[in-house]
Amino acid sequence: MRLRPPRNRVAGRAIGWWSAQSAVFALPLPLAFAILWAGIPPTRELFMWFTLISLVPGLLYMAVMPSWRYRVHRWEVTDEAVYAASGWLWQQWRVVPLSRVQTVDTLRGPLQQLFGLSGVSVTTASSSAVRIKGLDQKVGDELVAYLTRSTQAVPGDAT
């Protein structure tokens, strides 16, 4: 098995999915401060500053993180292994030999379903799962089917 970076990018719609996730994370606090700013006249100046101080980093996060993650996230499956690269600030690259794979699962949260995306989780006995997130649903289903067939055909100690 030759170690190298994975070749396939996740679906382009993953940028929208990550943008929606970042908005869910970054906007509630500034929104709460903005409501207080509008609703309590004696404290308007204070809540204006709280709104701006919490909004600016959130907007930067929403602007940078999705495209950065898209550049980093990659995956590939060969006859010998599953390769996955993920993260944005803390990047991770994992290789799982097919002979070590015990389970293959499909992951689809509500936002992923909304964007027509899915994820695949490949689990071994000795480590945490390798997750490939942001795949097109059809690609994810095909990948799960392929890995299920391949891991059954590969001799090794995981069976």
Side-chain angles (χ1 to χ4, degrees), residues 117-139:
L117 299 170
S118 114
V120 174
S121 176
V122 180
T123 308
T124 67
S126 62
S127 71
S128 61
V130 173
R131 291 183 175 87
I132 304 168
K133 298 178 182 179
L135 298 173
D136 178 79
Q137 279 188 355
K138 184 178 178 185
V139 171

Side-chain angles (χ1 to χ4, degrees), residues 53-71:
I53 289 169
S54 62
L55 185 61
V56 170
L59 291 176
L60 285 172
Y61 175 73
M62 290 171 54
V64 172
M65 184 275 294
S67 58
W68 193 333
R69 279 182 85 172
Y70 182 72
R71 278 187 240 129

Side-chain angles (χ1 to χ4, degrees), residues 6-85:
R7 293 187 178 139
N8 304 316
R9 285 188 175 222
V10 297
R13 291 186 313 277
I15 294 172
W17 170 51
W18 287 320
S19 296
Q21 277 185 322
S22 66
V24 167
F25 172 75
L27 294 181
L29 184 62
L31 183 60
F33 286 142
I35 291 169
L36 293 171
W37 175 21
I40 307 173
T43 61
R44 281 204 172 134
E45 186 174 342
L46 177 68
F47 283 119
M48 176 195 68
W49 286 110
F50 285 173
T51 301
L52 291 175
I53 289 169
S54 62
L55 185 61
V56 170
L59 291 176
L60 285 172
Y61 175 73
M62 290 171 54
V64 172
M65 184 275 294
S67 58
W68 193 333
R69 279 182 85 172
Y70 182 72
R71 278 187 240 129
V72 172
H73 281 235
R74 299 198 184 271
W75 66 278
E76 185 176 358
V77 176
T78 66
D79 292 337
E80 296 89 27
V82 177
Y83 298 81

